[in-house]
Amino acid sequence: MTPPRPSPETAPADARSAATTRTAGAALVCAAVALVLVGSGLWLTVAGIVAAAAGLGLGIAALVRSRGTSRRRLLVVSAVAAIVLGLLSLVTGGARLALWPVAEAYQQCVSSTLTLSGTAQCQQELEDGIWSYLSGGPEASADSSGPAGASTSNASSDPEGSAPAARRL
């Protein structure tokens, strides 16, 4: 006994539903990859922004195509999740690229610090650098955020450097 064949009317609808499901899945994958990539180095951040844009476009396409399909709820949830993740990645990556010099100085500062107070100092320098960068003021110099600059701003991690810092207080 052979299984019943789908009627000619339902075959295109099933094919459309499957294509829309693949589109929503691809959108979710692109958005998830973008979310991971935007927190990395310069070129990976750029690749993350491209993946976020692709995820956003595929999510919108899946949302539009989901009309009249049998899996509409699942497709809408997937497409909306991809759109939200894509937008989040796009904004995060764009902000990171726009503030690249300040973000790079912060990464160097954090990687060279050993204490929580040093990390707090790096956070303060990041906030000051962002405001300075956005206001058009002098940028945070690269030499103050390097390993030598981190040891002066992170005096508690260097026993020899903490004595002069204590005298200044």
Side-chain angles (χ1 to χ4, degrees), residues 23-24 27 53-66 79-80 82-83 87:
T23 303
L56 189 62
L58 287 171
I60 291 170
L63 193 62
V64 170
R65 288 181 183 176
S66 69
V80 168
I83 290 169
L87 281 175

Side-chain angles (χ1 to χ4, degrees), residues 37-38 41-51 97:
L37 290 179
V38 294
L42 176 64
W43 294 111
L44 290 177
T45 300
V46 171
I49 289 175
V50 170
L97 284 181

Side-chain angles (χ1 to χ4, degrees), residues 12-27 57-73 75-76 79 83:
D14 289 341
R16 193 177 85 175
S17 178
T20 305
T21 303
R22 285 191 301 272
T23 303
L58 287 171
I60 291 170
L63 193 62
V64 170
R65 288 181 183 176
S66 69
R67 187 173 186 192
T69 60
S70 60
R71 302 177 187 169
R72 176 138 170 89
R73 288 185 186 155
L75 292 173
V76 167
I83 290 169

Side-chain angles (χ1 to χ4, degrees), residues 58-131:
L58 287 171
I60 291 170
L63 193 62
V64 170
R65 288 181 183 176
S66 69
R67 187 173 186 192
T69 60
S70 60
R71 302 177 187 169
R72 176 138 170 89
R73 288 185 186 155
L74 175 67
L75 292 173
V76 167
V77 169
S78 299
V80 168
I83 290 169
V84 168
L85 287 176
L87 281 175
L88 178 67
S89 299
L90 204 57
V91 169
T92 303
R96 186 169 169 88
L97 284 181
L99 299 170
W100 187 258
V102 177
E104 192 64 26
Y106 173 73
Q107 288 291 16
Q108 289 176 354
C109 181
V110 168
S111 68
S112 65
T113 191
L114 300 174
T115 63
L116 291 175
S117 63
T119 304
Q121 180 67 28
C122 291
Q123 180 71 29
Q124 184 62 43
E125 289 176 10
L126 172 68
E127 292 172 9
D128 293 343
I130 288 172
W131 286 114

Side-chain angles (χ1 to χ4, degrees), residues 5 7 21 34 53 59 77 118 121 132 152-153 161 164:
R5 293 185 172 196
S7 67
T21 303
V77 169
Q121 180 67 28
S132 175
T152 58
S153 66

